[in-house]
Amino acid sequence: MHPSHRRALVVRGGWEGHSPVEATERFIPFLKEHGFAVEVHDGPEVYADAERLAATDLVVQCYTQGVATDEQVLGLSAAVAAGTGLAGWHGGVCDSFRGSPDYLHLTGGQWAAHPGGFVPHEVEVLPDRADHPLVAGLSPRWSLDTEQYWVLTDELNDVLATTTFEPGEDTPWRGDRHLPGRLDPPLGERSGVRLDHRPQARRPRPPRRAGGDRARPAVGEPVTRIVLDTDLAMGAPGSDIDDGFALALALAEPGLQVELVTTVGGNSDVATSTRLTRELLGTLGHEEVRVVEGAPASSAAAEEIARRVLAAPGELTLVAIGPLSNVAAALAHPGVAGAVREVVAMGGVFLEQTNVAAMPGEYNFWCDPDAAQAVMESGVPLRLVGLDVTRRVRLTRADARALAERGRFGRVAATHTEAWIDYQERVKPREELEQGSCALHDPLAVAVVEHPDLVTWRDAHVAVETAGRFTRGVAVADLLMWADPPAPNCRIATEVDADAFLALFHDRLAALP
């Protein structure tokens, strides 16, 4: 036993599916046996304590699918840059704070997918790295029967071992792909192992026949699996058209895979929304996408969302572009909030106001403020795209005319866009912004799922007024500027690169039928 002269912080929490307490409790005795005084924290708040981190030799993190403030992430980054070690395994270190670009930059790796679920596969130590202290003494190749992780990695990472993805019927690539089973990022002292999120031991499997030399790892092209919850009304006279464009953009975006569309009452009644959604999917050539009708007519949408999320924990992103009734009901099911990869919602206005007494809150929040507040309180990883940014991305009459010269979707969308602009001009005659164009609220929310850098994100604590006499649906955003702020429960979009978004929007729509 070494005398305790070094300090280790164990930071754990997040998704319970990765057993953060059980897994770290197994590792803590090892730290103590090697001379570390161990301090345990159930959350990343300690990362904002510069003095404590400066006195720490090693941070061991097991925290999956959480939220950390900019202050916390920058505090951890500064400590690592100054020489504090950062270690972890699996999603507890490289699927921790997805909404933080600074954290992704720090770790140099991000989990993306595990195609096929539990599959037999091998991990092979690279021969030229076999003498590295982290793999020295290990067998050159070993077998597992668990999830095989497709990991996005920084090319500067020092990769110590690889695993090979073989082609399969349900995989979009062709030919073998070699990805890291173990990598060692170059900045400071960091290490990460991603093999299995289950703490129980595995018996080795006999190795399969080698398929030739293994190449250095390559970054793949994974997709983000989404459920789109919408109050689509494109096709109904005098109704908003942005949901229709959002559905089209989600189907046209190569980085997204639309697995389910659920409907909610909002821009139109839910039965009409369901019918129009199915009709638009037919126009887009995607009749195979399942549509489930939801609130207020049915609980089927919420139940289906919950079922799918629990069947694939950590894999499904909920993209909500209508009132949050279905999403709130789904998150109320036991275990769902902790198993959702992320919720991205179009809703709220945080730095401005609607300036309309009849609708003081943004429309989606105003329609069902109780559901919006329930989502805020759910603890789910959450990004909010509100009117502060969506009102700045516009589709003009000239854009509509250009759409009409494209395929069948363009012709349909152009007709409804012109009608919507006409309607807006009639009912909002003194709102200058609404003259001659319309906002692309929902398409922006879809776009940032795969392209988060289109907007500027800020940590916030958001609450939604549910009982106000004059303020129904108003989002109260605490920007964490004062001493002792509340804990952040989301990230809000505060600025948008409108030109970049519109370029992406028009590029993707050009490929539609």
Side-chain angles (χ1 to χ4, degrees), residues 121-130 135 138-144 159-164 178-182 195 210-217:
H121 62 280
E122 295 178 358
V123 175
E124 182 177 8
V125 176
L126 295 173
D128 62 341
R129 306 302 291 131
V135 293
L138 295 179
S139 299
R141 180 184 297 127
W142 66 94
S143 299
L144 296 167
V159 176
L160 306 181
T162 63
T163 183
T164 298
H178 313 283
L179 291 179
R182 170 67 185 79
L195 294 175
D213 293 338
R214 308 287 173 101
R216 300 289 289 185

PDB file of all heavy atoms in Angstrom, residues 121-130 135 138-144 159-164 178-182 195 210-217:
ATOM      1  N   HIS A 121     -17.366  -9.328 -31.496  1.00  0.00           N
ATOM      2  CA  HIS A 121     -16.339  -8.606 -32.239  1.00  0.00           C
ATOM      3  C   HIS A 121     -15.016  -8.700 -31.487  1.00  0.00           C
ATOM      4  O   HIS A 121     -14.974  -9.165 -30.348  1.00  0.00           O
ATOM      5  CB  HIS A 121     -16.729  -7.145 -32.463  1.00  0.00           C
ATOM      6  CG  HIS A 121     -16.899  -6.350 -31.215  1.00  0.00           C
ATOM      7  ND1 HIS A 121     -18.054  -6.407 -30.455  1.00  0.00           N
ATOM      8  CD2 HIS A 121     -16.081  -5.475 -30.564  1.00  0.00           C
ATOM      9  CE1 HIS A 121     -17.943  -5.610 -29.417  1.00  0.00           C
ATOM     10  NE2 HIS A 121     -16.758  -5.040 -29.455  1.00  0.00           N
ATOM     11  N   GLU A 122     -13.961  -8.262 -32.141  1.00  0.00           N
ATOM     12  CA  GLU A 122     -12.632  -8.336 -31.564  1.00  0.00           C
ATOM     13  C   GLU A 122     -12.043  -6.948 -31.403  1.00  0.00           C
ATOM     14  O   GLU A 122     -12.392  -6.012 -32.126  1.00  0.00           O
ATOM     15  CB  GLU A 122     -11.708  -9.182 -32.453  1.00  0.00           C
ATOM     16  CG  GLU A 122     -12.118 -10.635 -32.537  1.00  0.00           C
ATOM     17  CD  GLU A 122     -11.218 -11.432 -33.456  1.00  0.00           C
ATOM     18  OE1 GLU A 122     -10.303 -10.830 -34.058  1.00  0.00           O
ATOM     19  OE2 GLU A 122     -11.430 -12.649 -33.582  1.00  0.00           O
ATOM     20  N   VAL A 123     -11.133  -6.826 -30.454  1.00  0.00           N
ATOM     21  CA  VAL A 123     -10.322  -5.633 -30.275  1.00  0.00           C
ATOM     22  C   VAL A 123      -8.864  -6.056 -30.395  1.00  0.00           C
ATOM     23  O   VAL A 123      -8.449  -7.062 -29.793  1.00  0.00           O
ATOM     24  CB  VAL A 123     -10.574  -4.972 -28.903  1.00  0.00           C
ATOM     25  CG1 VAL A 123      -9.629  -3.788 -28.699  1.00  0.00           C
ATOM     26  CG2 VAL A 123     -12.020  -4.531 -28.784  1.00  0.00           C
ATOM     27  N   GLU A 124      -8.111  -5.322 -31.185  1.00  0.00           N
ATOM     28  CA  GLU A 124      -6.721  -5.682 -31.443  1.00  0.00           C
ATOM     29  C   GLU A 124      -5.796  -4.522 -31.097  1.00  0.00           C
ATOM     30  O   GLU A 124      -6.000  -3.393 -31.553  1.00  0.00           O
ATOM     31  CB  GLU A 124      -6.534  -6.061 -32.918  1.00  0.00           C
ATOM     32  CG  GLU A 124      -5.123  -6.490 -33.263  1.00  0.00           C
ATOM     33  CD  GLU A 124      -4.988  -6.922 -34.713  1.00  0.00           C
ATOM     34  OE1 GLU A 124      -5.957  -6.738 -35.460  1.00  0.00           O
ATOM     35  OE2 GLU A 124      -3.910  -7.424 -35.087  1.00  0.00           O
ATOM     36  N   VAL A 125      -4.799  -4.799 -30.287  1.00  0.00           N
ATOM     37  CA  VAL A 125      -3.789  -3.807 -29.949  1.00  0.00           C
ATOM     38  C   VAL A 125      -2.900  -3.599 -31.173  1.00  0.00           C
ATOM     39  O   VAL A 125      -2.443  -4.561 -31.798  1.00  0.00           O
ATOM     40  CB  VAL A 125      -2.941  -4.265 -28.750  1.00  0.00           C
ATOM     41  CG1 VAL A 125      -1.824  -3.259 -28.466  1.00  0.00           C
ATOM     42  CG2 VAL A 125      -3.822  -4.446 -27.521  1.00  0.00           C
ATOM     43  N   LEU A 126      -2.661  -2.331 -31.517  1.00  0.00           N
ATOM     44  CA  LEU A 126      -1.785  -2.053 -32.652  1.00  0.00           C
ATOM     45  C   LEU A 126      -0.358  -2.466 -32.300  1.00  0.00           C
ATOM     46  O   LEU A 126       0.159  -2.098 -31.238  1.00  0.00           O
ATOM     47  CB  LEU A 126      -1.836  -0.568 -32.998  1.00  0.00           C
ATOM     48  CG  LEU A 126      -3.196  -0.063 -33.501  1.00  0.00           C
ATOM     49  CD1 LEU A 126      -3.174   1.446 -33.651  1.00  0.00           C
ATOM     50  CD2 LEU A 126      -3.549  -0.717 -34.814  1.00  0.00           C
ATOM     51  N   PRO A 127       0.296  -3.233 -33.161  1.00  0.00           N
ATOM     52  CA  PRO A 127       1.621  -3.763 -32.819  1.00  0.00           C
ATOM     53  C   PRO A 127       2.635  -2.692 -32.417  1.00  0.00           C
ATOM     54  O   PRO A 127       3.432  -2.901 -31.499  1.00  0.00           O
ATOM     55  CB  PRO A 127       2.047  -4.491 -34.104  1.00  0.00           C
ATOM     56  CG  PRO A 127       0.759  -4.859 -34.770  1.00  0.00           C
ATOM     57  CD  PRO A 127      -0.186  -3.735 -34.468  1.00  0.00           C
ATOM     58  N   ASP A 128       2.588  -1.538 -33.092  1.00  0.00           N
ATOM     59  CA  ASP A 128       3.579  -0.513 -32.780  1.00  0.00           C
ATOM     60  C   ASP A 128       3.272   0.263 -31.511  1.00  0.00           C
ATOM     61  O   ASP A 128       4.037   1.134 -31.106  1.00  0.00           O
ATOM     62  CB  ASP A 128       3.743   0.450 -33.961  1.00  0.00           C
ATOM     63  CG  ASP A 128       2.462   1.196 -34.294  1.00  0.00           C
ATOM     64  OD1 ASP A 128       1.384   0.722 -33.879  1.00  0.00           O
ATOM     65  OD2 ASP A 128       2.537   2.237 -34.969  1.00  0.00           O
ATOM     66  N   ARG A 129       2.121  -0.043 -30.866  1.00  0.00           N
ATOM     67  CA  ARG A 129       1.775   0.632 -29.620  1.00  0.00           C
ATOM     68  C   ARG A 129       1.669  -0.353 -28.460  1.00  0.00           C
ATOM     69  O   ARG A 129       1.230   0.000 -27.360  1.00  0.00           O
ATOM     70  CB  ARG A 129       0.428   1.372 -29.761  1.00  0.00           C
ATOM     71  CG  ARG A 129       0.350   2.333 -30.927  1.00  0.00           C
ATOM     72  CD  ARG A 129       1.442   3.410 -30.878  1.00  0.00           C
ATOM     73  NE  ARG A 129       1.225   4.328 -29.780  1.00  0.00           N
ATOM     74  CZ  ARG A 129       2.162   4.680 -28.911  1.00  0.00           C
ATOM     75  NH1 ARG A 129       3.376   4.157 -28.984  1.00  0.00           N
ATOM     76  NH2 ARG A 129       1.890   5.533 -27.952  1.00  0.00           N
ATOM     77  N   ALA A 130       2.082  -1.594 -28.671  1.00  0.00           N
ATOM     78  CA  ALA A 130       1.904  -2.640 -27.662  1.00  0.00           C
ATOM     79  C   ALA A 130       2.701  -2.375 -26.389  1.00  0.00           C
ATOM     80  O   ALA A 130       2.387  -2.943 -25.339  1.00  0.00           O
ATOM     81  CB  ALA A 130       2.294  -3.998 -28.245  1.00  0.00           C
ATOM     82  N   VAL A 135      -1.619  -0.449 -22.359  1.00  0.00           N
ATOM     83  CA  VAL A 135      -1.966  -1.744 -22.963  1.00  0.00           C
ATOM     84  C   VAL A 135      -0.862  -2.780 -22.793  1.00  0.00           C
ATOM     85  O   VAL A 135      -1.049  -3.944 -23.169  1.00  0.00           O
ATOM     86  CB  VAL A 135      -2.288  -1.581 -24.468  1.00  0.00           C
ATOM     87  CG1 VAL A 135      -3.558  -0.775 -24.655  1.00  0.00           C
ATOM     88  CG2 VAL A 135      -1.133  -0.943 -25.221  1.00  0.00           C
ATOM     89  N   LEU A 138      -1.288  -6.753 -22.106  1.00  0.00           N
ATOM     90  CA  LEU A 138      -2.562  -7.291 -22.585  1.00  0.00           C
ATOM     91  C   LEU A 138      -2.331  -8.243 -23.756  1.00  0.00           C
ATOM     92  O   LEU A 138      -1.329  -8.138 -24.477  1.00  0.00           O
ATOM     93  CB  LEU A 138      -3.492  -6.163 -23.022  1.00  0.00           C
ATOM     94  CG  LEU A 138      -3.980  -5.188 -21.951  1.00  0.00           C
ATOM     95  CD1 LEU A 138      -4.867  -4.124 -22.591  1.00  0.00           C
ATOM     96  CD2 LEU A 138      -4.731  -5.913 -20.850  1.00  0.00           C
ATOM     97  N   SER A 139      -3.274  -9.146 -23.960  1.00  0.00           N
ATOM     98  CA  SER A 139      -3.214  -9.985 -25.149  1.00  0.00           C
ATOM     99  C   SER A 139      -3.297  -9.111 -26.387  1.00  0.00           C
ATOM    100  O   SER A 139      -3.983  -8.079 -26.389  1.00  0.00           O
ATOM    101  CB  SER A 139      -4.376 -10.983 -25.139  1.00  0.00           C
ATOM    102  OG  SER A 139      -4.308 -11.832 -24.009  1.00  0.00           O
ATOM    103  N   PRO A 140      -2.637  -9.476 -27.446  1.00  0.00           N
ATOM    104  CA  PRO A 140      -2.679  -8.636 -28.655  1.00  0.00           C
ATOM    105  C   PRO A 140      -4.058  -8.557 -29.279  1.00  0.00           C
ATOM    106  O   PRO A 140      -4.365  -7.624 -30.004  1.00  0.00           O
ATOM    107  CB  PRO A 140      -1.679  -9.312 -29.594  1.00  0.00           C
ATOM    108  CG  PRO A 140      -1.564 -10.711 -29.085  1.00  0.00           C
ATOM    109  CD  PRO A 140      -1.750 -10.635 -27.611  1.00  0.00           C
ATOM    110  N   ARG A 141      -4.917  -9.539 -28.979  1.00  0.00           N
ATOM    111  CA  ARG A 141      -6.271  -9.527 -29.530  1.00  0.00           C
ATOM    112  C   ARG A 141      -7.182 -10.249 -28.546  1.00  0.00           C
ATOM    113  O   ARG A 141      -6.814 -11.266 -27.983  1.00  0.00           O
ATOM    114  CB  ARG A 141      -6.308 -10.221 -30.890  1.00  0.00           C
ATOM    115  CG  ARG A 141      -7.685 -10.242 -31.529  1.00  0.00           C
ATOM    116  CD  ARG A 141      -7.700 -11.030 -32.831  1.00  0.00           C
ATOM    117  NE  ARG A 141      -6.832 -10.418 -33.826  1.00  0.00           N
ATOM    118  CZ  ARG A 141      -5.877 -11.056 -34.478  1.00  0.00           C
ATOM    119  NH1 ARG A 141      -5.656 -12.332 -34.247  1.00  0.00           N
ATOM    120  NH2 ARG A 141      -5.142 -10.436 -35.371  1.00  0.00           N
ATOM    121  N   TRP A 142      -8.376  -9.675 -28.325  1.00  0.00           N
ATOM    122  CA  TRP A 142      -9.341 -10.367 -27.478  1.00  0.00           C
ATOM    123  C   TRP A 142     -10.743 -10.155 -28.027  1.00  0.00           C
ATOM    124  O   TRP A 142     -10.982  -9.246 -28.819  1.00  0.00           O
ATOM    125  CB  TRP A 142      -9.230  -9.940 -26.014  1.00  0.00           C
ATOM    126  CG  TRP A 142      -9.597  -8.523 -25.703  1.00  0.00           C
ATOM    127  CD1 TRP A 142     -10.807  -8.061 -25.299  1.00  0.00           C
ATOM    128  CD2 TRP A 142      -8.736  -7.380 -25.768  1.00  0.00           C
ATOM    129  NE1 TRP A 142     -10.755  -6.703 -25.099  1.00  0.00           N
ATOM    130  CE2 TRP A 142      -9.495  -6.248 -25.376  1.00  0.00           C
ATOM    131  CE3 TRP A 142      -7.393  -7.177 -26.105  1.00  0.00           C
ATOM    132  CZ2 TRP A 142      -8.984  -4.967 -25.326  1.00  0.00           C
ATOM    133  CZ3 TRP A 142      -6.873  -5.891 -26.063  1.00  0.00           C
ATOM    134  CH2 TRP A 142      -7.662  -4.814 -25.676  1.00  0.00           C
ATOM    135  N   SER A 143     -11.663 -11.017 -27.597  1.00  0.00           N
ATOM    136  CA  SER A 143     -13.015 -11.035 -28.147  1.00  0.00           C
ATOM    137  C   SER A 143     -14.032 -10.601 -27.111  1.00  0.00           C
ATOM    138  O   SER A 143     -13.871 -10.847 -25.911  1.00  0.00           O
ATOM    139  CB  SER A 143     -13.372 -12.448 -28.648  1.00  0.00           C
ATOM    140  OG  SER A 143     -12.490 -12.852 -29.673  1.00  0.00           O
ATOM    141  N   LEU A 144     -15.100  -9.957 -27.592  1.00  0.00           N
ATOM    142  CA  LEU A 144     -16.178  -9.477 -26.742  1.00  0.00           C
ATOM    143  C   LEU A 144     -17.507  -9.804 -27.395  1.00  0.00           C
ATOM    144  O   LEU A 144     -17.589  -9.977 -28.624  1.00  0.00           O
ATOM    145  CB  LEU A 144     -16.076  -7.953 -26.545  1.00  0.00           C
ATOM    146  CG  LEU A 144     -14.858  -7.408 -25.817  1.00  0.00           C
ATOM    147  CD1 LEU A 144     -14.781  -5.901 -26.007  1.00  0.00           C
ATOM    148  CD2 LEU A 144     -14.930  -7.753 -24.345  1.00  0.00           C
ATOM    149  N   VAL A 159      -3.982   6.331 -31.036  1.00  0.00           N
ATOM    150  CA  VAL A 159      -4.839   5.159 -30.947  1.00  0.00           C
ATOM    151  C   VAL A 159      -3.996   3.946 -30.584  1.00  0.00           C
ATOM    152  O   VAL A 159      -2.966   3.682 -31.204  1.00  0.00           O
ATOM    153  CB  VAL A 159      -5.578   4.924 -32.279  1.00  0.00           C
ATOM    154  CG1 VAL A 159      -6.403   3.648 -32.220  1.00  0.00           C
ATOM    155  CG2 VAL A 159      -6.464   6.121 -32.592  1.00  0.00           C
ATOM    156  N   LEU A 160      -4.434   3.207 -29.575  1.00  0.00           N
ATOM    157  CA  LEU A 160      -3.688   2.058 -29.084  1.00  0.00           C
ATOM    158  C   LEU A 160      -4.275   0.730 -29.558  1.00  0.00           C
ATOM    159  O   LEU A 160      -3.562  -0.266 -29.625  1.00  0.00           O
ATOM    160  CB  LEU A 160      -3.661   2.073 -27.555  1.00  0.00           C
ATOM    161  CG  LEU A 160      -3.143   3.376 -26.909  1.00  0.00           C
ATOM    162  CD1 LEU A 160      -3.149   3.236 -25.403  1.00  0.00           C
ATOM    163  CD2 LEU A 160      -1.757   3.716 -27.415  1.00  0.00           C
ATOM    164  N   ALA A 161      -5.566   0.701 -29.853  1.00  0.00           N
ATOM    165  CA  ALA A 161      -6.204  -0.537 -30.285  1.00  0.00           C
ATOM    166  C   ALA A 161      -7.376  -0.198 -31.191  1.00  0.00           C
ATOM    167  O   ALA A 161      -7.921   0.902 -31.122  1.00  0.00           O
ATOM    168  CB  ALA A 161      -6.685  -1.348 -29.086  1.00  0.00           C
ATOM    169  N   THR A 162      -7.753  -1.138 -32.039  1.00  0.00           N
ATOM    170  CA  THR A 162      -8.850  -0.910 -32.975  1.00  0.00           C
ATOM    171  C   THR A 162      -9.822  -2.081 -32.943  1.00  0.00           C
ATOM    172  O   THR A 162      -9.501  -3.180 -32.493  1.00  0.00           O
ATOM    173  CB  THR A 162      -8.345  -0.745 -34.426  1.00  0.00           C
ATOM    174  OG1 THR A 162      -7.722  -1.961 -34.845  1.00  0.00           O
ATOM    175  CG2 THR A 162      -7.374   0.402 -34.545  1.00  0.00           C
ATOM    176  N   THR A 163     -11.024  -1.797 -33.421  1.00  0.00           N
ATOM    177  CA  THR A 163     -12.014  -2.844 -33.661  1.00  0.00           C
ATOM    178  C   THR A 163     -12.534  -2.677 -35.080  1.00  0.00           C
ATOM    179  O   THR A 163     -12.612  -1.551 -35.582  1.00  0.00           O
ATOM    180  CB  THR A 163     -13.166  -2.769 -32.633  1.00  0.00           C
ATOM    181  OG1 THR A 163     -14.056  -3.859 -32.863  1.00  0.00           O
ATOM    182  CG2 THR A 163     -13.933  -1.469 -32.747  1.00  0.00           C
ATOM    183  N   THR A 164     -12.856  -3.767 -35.733  1.00  0.00           N
ATOM    184  CA  THR A 164     -13.258  -3.729 -37.136  1.00  0.00           C
ATOM    185  C   THR A 164     -14.765  -3.907 -37.274  1.00  0.00           C
ATOM    186  O   THR A 164     -15.337  -4.868 -36.756  1.00  0.00           O
ATOM    187  CB  THR A 164     -12.548  -4.835 -37.937  1.00  0.00           C
ATOM    188  OG1 THR A 164     -11.145  -4.615 -37.880  1.00  0.00           O
ATOM    189  CG2 THR A 164     -13.000  -4.808 -39.398  1.00  0.00           C
ATOM    190  N   HIS A 178     -12.392   0.376 -39.704  1.00  0.00           N
ATOM    191  CA  HIS A 178     -11.584   0.150 -38.513  1.00  0.00           C
ATOM    192  C   HIS A 178     -11.649   1.388 -37.633  1.00  0.00           C
ATOM    193  O   HIS A 178     -11.304   2.478 -38.052  1.00  0.00           O
ATOM    194  CB  HIS A 178     -10.128  -0.134 -38.896  1.00  0.00           C
ATOM    195  CG  HIS A 178      -9.992  -1.148 -40.001  1.00  0.00           C
ATOM    196  ND1 HIS A 178     -10.144  -2.496 -39.785  1.00  0.00           N
ATOM    197  CD2 HIS A 178      -9.747  -0.989 -41.323  1.00  0.00           C
ATOM    198  CE1 HIS A 178      -9.974  -3.144 -40.946  1.00  0.00           C
ATOM    199  NE2 HIS A 178      -9.742  -2.244 -41.882  1.00  0.00           N
ATOM    200  N   LEU A 179     -12.120   1.213 -36.411  1.00  0.00           N
ATOM    201  CA  LEU A 179     -12.286   2.336 -35.498  1.00  0.00           C
ATOM    202  C   LEU A 179     -11.603   2.036 -34.169  1.00  0.00           C
ATOM    203  O   LEU A 179     -11.364   0.882 -33.834  1.00  0.00           O
ATOM    204  CB  LEU A 179     -13.765   2.635 -35.262  1.00  0.00           C
ATOM    205  CG  LEU A 179     -14.528   3.209 -36.443  1.00  0.00           C
ATOM    206  CD1 LEU A 179     -15.975   3.418 -36.055  1.00  0.00           C
ATOM    207  CD2 LEU A 179     -13.915   4.512 -36.902  1.00  0.00           C
ATOM    208  N   PRO A 180     -11.301   3.093 -33.375  1.00  0.00           N
ATOM    209  CA  PRO A 180     -10.583   2.875 -32.123  1.00  0.00           C
ATOM    210  C   PRO A 180     -11.385   2.067 -31.119  1.00  0.00           C
ATOM    211  O   PRO A 180     -12.563   2.320 -30.891  1.00  0.00           O
ATOM    212  CB  PRO A 180     -10.358   4.289 -31.584  1.00  0.00           C
ATOM    213  CG  PRO A 180     -10.554   5.188 -32.744  1.00  0.00           C
ATOM    214  CD  PRO A 180     -11.531   4.501 -33.643  1.00  0.00           C
ATOM    215  N   GLY A 181     -10.749   1.093 -30.514  1.00  0.00           N
ATOM    216  CA  GLY A 181     -11.293   0.451 -29.342  1.00  0.00           C
ATOM    217  C   GLY A 181     -10.675   1.077 -28.101  1.00  0.00           C
ATOM    218  O   GLY A 181     -11.171   0.943 -27.003  1.00  0.00           O
ATOM    219  N   ARG A 182      -9.571   1.784 -28.301  1.00  0.00           N
ATOM    220  CA  ARG A 182      -8.854   2.447 -27.207  1.00  0.00           C
ATOM    221  C   ARG A 182      -8.051   3.590 -27.800  1.00  0.00           C
ATOM    222  O   ARG A 182      -7.373   3.434 -28.795  1.00  0.00           O
ATOM    223  CB  ARG A 182      -7.912   1.443 -26.517  1.00  0.00           C
ATOM    224  CG  ARG A 182      -6.939   2.076 -25.529  1.00  0.00           C
ATOM    225  CD  ARG A 182      -7.691   2.635 -24.325  1.00  0.00           C
ATOM    226  NE  ARG A 182      -6.785   3.324 -23.452  1.00  0.00           N
ATOM    227  CZ  ARG A 182      -6.329   4.550 -23.668  1.00  0.00           C
ATOM    228  NH1 ARG A 182      -6.661   5.198 -24.747  1.00  0.00           N
ATOM    229  NH2 ARG A 182      -5.545   5.120 -22.774  1.00  0.00           N
ATOM    230  N   LEU A 195     -15.420   0.095 -24.201  1.00  0.00           N
ATOM    231  CA  LEU A 195     -15.685  -1.271 -24.615  1.00  0.00           C
ATOM    232  C   LEU A 195     -17.074  -1.730 -24.213  1.00  0.00           C
ATOM    233  O   LEU A 195     -17.809  -2.274 -25.015  1.00  0.00           O
ATOM    234  CB  LEU A 195     -14.627  -2.218 -24.010  1.00  0.00           C
ATOM    235  CG  LEU A 195     -13.205  -1.993 -24.549  1.00  0.00           C
ATOM    236  CD1 LEU A 195     -12.239  -2.895 -23.807  1.00  0.00           C
ATOM    237  CD2 LEU A 195     -13.118  -2.246 -26.039  1.00  0.00           C
ATOM    238  N   ALA A 210      -8.655 -14.027 -38.276  1.00  0.00           N
ATOM    239  CA  ALA A 210      -8.247 -12.663 -38.631  1.00  0.00           C
ATOM    240  C   ALA A 210      -8.521 -12.424 -40.099  1.00  0.00           C
ATOM    241  O   ALA A 210      -8.342 -13.294 -40.939  1.00  0.00           O
ATOM    242  CB  ALA A 210      -6.768 -12.467 -38.337  1.00  0.00           C
ATOM    243  N   GLY A 211      -8.943 -11.186 -40.388  1.00  0.00           N
ATOM    244  CA  GLY A 211      -9.281 -10.841 -41.770  1.00  0.00           C
ATOM    245  C   GLY A 211      -8.203 -10.035 -42.450  1.00  0.00           C
ATOM    246  O   GLY A 211      -8.490  -9.233 -43.317  1.00  0.00           O
ATOM    247  N   GLY A 212      -6.951 -10.227 -42.069  1.00  0.00           N
ATOM    248  CA  GLY A 212      -5.875  -9.467 -42.686  1.00  0.00           C
ATOM    249  C   GLY A 212      -5.411  -8.370 -41.767  1.00  0.00           C
ATOM    250  O   GLY A 212      -5.854  -8.224 -40.635  1.00  0.00           O
ATOM    251  N   ASP A 213      -4.483  -7.563 -42.248  1.00  0.00           N
ATOM    252  CA  ASP A 213      -3.929  -6.481 -41.448  1.00  0.00           C
ATOM    253  C   ASP A 213      -4.989  -5.440 -41.161  1.00  0.00           C
ATOM    254  O   ASP A 213      -5.841  -5.133 -42.002  1.00  0.00           O
ATOM    255  CB  ASP A 213      -2.755  -5.815 -42.188  1.00  0.00           C
ATOM    256  CG  ASP A 213      -1.573  -6.764 -42.314  1.00  0.00           C
ATOM    257  OD1 ASP A 213      -1.508  -7.715 -41.497  1.00  0.00           O
ATOM    258  OD2 ASP A 213      -0.755  -6.565 -43.227  1.00  0.00           O
ATOM    259  N   ARG A 214      -4.934  -4.857 -39.963  1.00  0.00           N
ATOM    260  CA  ARG A 214      -5.867  -3.806 -39.579  1.00  0.00           C
ATOM    261  C   ARG A 214      -5.250  -2.445 -39.868  1.00  0.00           C
ATOM    262  O   ARG A 214      -4.089  -2.194 -39.541  1.00  0.00           O
ATOM    263  CB  ARG A 214      -6.200  -3.905 -38.085  1.00  0.00           C
ATOM    264  CG  ARG A 214      -6.651  -5.293 -37.662  1.00  0.00           C
ATOM    265  CD  ARG A 214      -8.055  -5.588 -38.172  1.00  0.00           C
ATOM    266  NE  ARG A 214      -8.422  -6.965 -37.913  1.00  0.00           N
ATOM    267  CZ  ARG A 214      -9.206  -7.336 -36.912  1.00  0.00           C
ATOM    268  NH1 ARG A 214      -9.666  -6.450 -36.075  1.00  0.00           N
ATOM    269  NH2 ARG A 214      -9.533  -8.594 -36.755  1.00  0.00           N
ATOM    270  N   ALA A 215      -6.039  -1.556 -40.448  1.00  0.00           N
ATOM    271  CA  ALA A 215      -5.553  -0.218 -40.755  1.00  0.00           C
ATOM    272  C   ALA A 215      -5.709   0.685 -39.552  1.00  0.00           C
ATOM    273  O   ALA A 215      -6.365   0.348 -38.572  1.00  0.00           O
ATOM    274  CB  ALA A 215      -6.331   0.367 -41.940  1.00  0.00           C
ATOM    275  N   ARG A 216      -5.101   1.860 -39.620  1.00  0.00           N
ATOM    276  CA  ARG A 216      -5.331   2.877 -38.600  1.00  0.00           C
ATOM    277  C   ARG A 216      -6.801   3.290 -38.655  1.00  0.00           C
ATOM    278  O   ARG A 216      -7.459   3.178 -39.673  1.00  0.00           O
ATOM    279  CB  ARG A 216      -4.429   4.101 -38.836  1.00  0.00           C
ATOM    280  CG  ARG A 216      -2.948   3.803 -38.818  1.00  0.00           C
ATOM    281  CD  ARG A 216      -2.450   3.493 -37.444  1.00  0.00           C
ATOM    282  NE  ARG A 216      -2.436   4.671 -36.596  1.00  0.00           N
ATOM    283  CZ  ARG A 216      -1.947   4.676 -35.370  1.00  0.00           C
ATOM    284  NH1 ARG A 216      -1.433   3.567 -34.853  1.00  0.00           N
ATOM    285  NH2 ARG A 216      -1.966   5.772 -34.635  1.00  0.00           N
ATOM    286  N   PRO A 217      -7.365   3.775 -37.549  1.00  0.00           N
ATOM    287  CA  PRO A 217      -8.807   4.051 -37.523  1.00  0.00           C
ATOM    288  C   PRO A 217      -9.204   5.168 -38.470  1.00  0.00           C
ATOM    289  O   PRO A 217      -8.457   6.110 -38.698  1.00  0.00           O
ATOM    290  CB  PRO A 217      -9.049   4.458 -36.065  1.00  0.00           C
ATOM    291  CG  PRO A 217      -7.737   4.958 -35.591  1.00  0.00           C
ATOM    292  CD  PRO A 217      -6.718   4.117 -36.294  1.00  0.00           C
TER     293      PRO A 217
END
